[in-house]
Amino acid sequence: MAKVALSGKTLPEIEEFIQAMGEPAFRARQLHSWIYSKQACSFEQMTNLSITCRQKLASIAQIPLITLSHLQISKDNTRKYLFALPDEQLIEAVLMSFTDRASLSACVSSQVGCAVGCTFCATGYMGFTRNLTAQEIVDQVMCIARESGQRIANVVYMGQGEPLLNIEEVIKSLHLLINSVGIGARHLTVSTSGIVPGIKRLAAEKLPITLALSLHHPDQLTREQIVPIAKKFQLPELMRSLRDYANATGRRVTIEYVLLKGVTDTPEQAHALAELVRDVHCNINLIPYNPTLNAASKMPLYGRPSLAAQMAFKQIAERTGKTVTIRLQRGADIDAACGQLHNKLSSQGPCNNTSCS
Ligand code: SAH
Ligand code: SF4
């Protein structure tokens, strides 16, 4: 019989498991603390549990749910993980450390593949396979913590998948990260291509989580060509949902904007972007395109703008007083952007690339 995986389970779920084992109820809190606070890798480490209990646990349970299939470490210390899920599907996660900040950030996947199909994104080229469970999402963070021996301070939902199309499991995972793993809500970021019902559902939780909107173009029609789901959720409604989110949570939202040479990076578009978000409580994060090989053409569909073009765009976007940053590329030497490693190893296609950079 398959062993029960405990990492990524909630305290009530662990209590239920302990009860079914016939162990006293207080064991559940002990197990919970070993898994989340002490990041235990084995039951032998759990020295306040009797030897018989530890042996019994080892025979019917295991700590991780997902398994590490491949790890790459870059020169800048970015660690890129390829994880196998219980049904052998593969997903990616990344651990990033920044020299100017002491804290570590984990970038996690929320789905296997993605149905949104953005034209510049390797995960979009893969298509959608399935949603992840909350346990599979949280265990990515715990596996990274156990493997690296480090405490994770921030989690960003910017790996594979559209988190707000898996909203209930994502919300459950956010509560687990806050209550079990001990990461403050202010250190969690959920990134979306603009799923309005999902934004409203997340706002209703009234948690001070950062919402990042992948806007990518200030004009409705061109945005639809880059982010096809934009046809369903149009800009006026989307902008309204951002303002409501900021009001409900008290949090400034992040506007993510991919810079595609000649498509989204012109001075006119920088002016239009600044105007569009003028009355939204937000920061703007510009993401220079990471070239990805399109599955059909075997060529990147876009070019990456020069540094000068990136800076010129930034200066215009700053004119309405918003903070505008340009995202640093992390782990470029190890395919650290999600989608890339999986595609390379599974030889399903060309070397792709998406987020987390
Ligand atoms: N599905 C969610 C979260 C995952 S993608 C979303 O789209 O927001 C995380 C971020 O990486 C998004 O802003 C996405 O647009 C960006 N991204 C994906 N592929 C990229 C690429 N090739 N170059 C630059 N940014 C990319
Ligand atoms: Fe999906 Fe986000 Fe990639 Fe678009 S950018 S295809 S929403 S993962």
Side-chain angles (χ1 to χ4, degrees):
M1 212 171 68
K3 290 186 177 181
V4 178
L6 298 175
S7 174
K9 280 200 187 294
T10 61
L11 180 58
E13 286 165 349
I14 296 176
E15 282 167 349
E16 208 176 297
F17 168 78
I18 281 293
Q19 201 184 6
M21 254 180 94
E23 286 289 322
F26 68 86
R27 290 263 180 265
R29 281 203 175 273
Q30 288 178 317
L31 255 182
H32 184 271
S33 159
W34 276 109
I35 291 168
Y36 293 112
S37 309
K38 298 177 191 129
Q39 300 175 1
C41 295
S42 73
F43 294 114
E44 292 97 83
Q45 285 173 269
M46 304 183 180
T47 44
N48 56 353
L49 270 58
S50 69
I51 293 181
T52 333
C53 176
R54 281 184 259 162
Q55 284 171 343
K56 198 164 153 196
L57 275 170
S59 68
I60 60 167
Q62 61 189 44
I63 294 174
L65 172 68
I66 62 177
T67 46
L68 181 60
S69 180
H70 195 82
L71 169 65
Q72 280 185 298
I73 304 171
S74 85
K75 291 190 197 110
D76 66 13
N77 247 342
T78 301
R79 297 168 95 82
K80 167 100 178 196
Y81 300 85
L82 186 70
F83 289 119
L85 303 176
D87 61 359
E88 293 177 12
Q89 293 290 339
L90 297 173
I91 50 153
E92 297 172 359
V94 180
L95 176 65
M96 295 163 285
S97 52
F98 298 90
T99 41
D100 56 336
R101 293 178 235 161
S103 58
L104 292 169
S105 296
C107 171
V108 295
S109 293
S110 56
Q111 297 182 314
V112 181
C114 180
V116 176
C118 299
T119 54
F120 52 84
C121 171
T123 308
Y125 301 156
M126 287 159 65
F128 174 73
T129 303
R130 73 166 175 88
N131 282 329
L132 298 194
T133 63
Q135 188 177 7
E136 287 169 335
I137 297 172
V138 173
D139 198 31
Q140 291 171 62
V141 177
M142 294 314 300
C143 278
I144 292 175
R146 288 188 294 264
E147 185 284 324
S148 65
Q150 311 250 36
R151 196 152 287 281
I152 312 298
N154 308 287
V155 176
V156 296
Y157 288 64
M158 292 192 185
Q160 290 169 319
E162 169 47 60
L164 299 191
L165 288 178
N166 182 18
I167 185 73
E168 295 308 326
E169 291 301 307
V170 163
I171 287 179
K172 186 177 172 195
S173 71
L174 290 165
H175 285 290
L176 254 154
L177 290 175
I178 296 166
N179 300 322
S180 290
V181 185
I183 299 176
R186 284 167 193 279
H187 297 272
L188 302 174
T189 299
V190 174
S191 177
T192 179
S193 54
I195 314 294
V196 172
I199 295 174
K200 289 183 179 163
R201 175 70 186 86
L202 194 60
E205 290 295 298
K206 294 204 182 313
L207 290 168
I209 288 166
T210 302
L211 176 71
L213 170 73
S214 296
L215 181 64
H216 304 329
H217 208 285
D219 162 68
Q220 175 62 34
L221 286 180
T222 323
R223 184 166 191 263
E224 287 175 12
Q225 281 159 23
I226 306 170
V227 183
I229 207 142
K231 292 190 194 87
K232 206 162 169 192
F233 306 110
Q234 308 241 324
L235 281 175
E237 185 194 11
L238 188 53
M239 290 299 127
R240 216 168 22 248
S241 73
L242 290 191
R243 286 191 290 271
D244 293 346
Y245 185 90
N247 287 337
T249 60
R251 293 293 282 170
R252 199 186 289 265
V253 300
T254 299
I255 300 292
E256 292 171 288
Y257 190 96
V258 68
L259 291 172
L260 307 171
K261 193 174 177 182
V263 180
T264 67
D265 70 339
T266 66
E268 296 72 37
Q269 285 150 356
H271 282 291
L273 169 65
E275 275 315 306
L276 182 66
V277 302
R278 184 184 279 277
D279 64 348
V280 178
H281 188 44
C282 69
N283 296 320
I284 299 173
N285 189 214
L286 304 175
I287 319 173
Y289 174 57
N290 286 316
T292 55
L293 301 188
N294 178 268
S297 65
K298 312 267 187 265
M299 298 264 295
L301 290 183
Y302 303 100
R304 185 180 168 101
S306 67
L307 211 54
Q310 295 173 27
M311 291 311 293
F313 193 97
K314 177 177 185 285
Q315 275 164 12
I316 299 172
E318 274 167 344
R319 284 189 196 159
T320 53
K322 307 282 186 209
T323 301
V324 183
T325 48
I326 299 180
R327 192 183 293 180
L328 272 180
Q329 195 174 7
R330 311 285 311 169
D333 54 320
I334 57 152
D335 315 319
C338 285
Q340 214 169 353
L341 183 62
H342 174 188
N343 284 304
K344 209 174 201 179
L345 292 179
S346 60
S347 312
Q348 279 176 353
C351 180
N352 282 333
N353 187 359
T354 63
S355 54
C356 299
S357 50

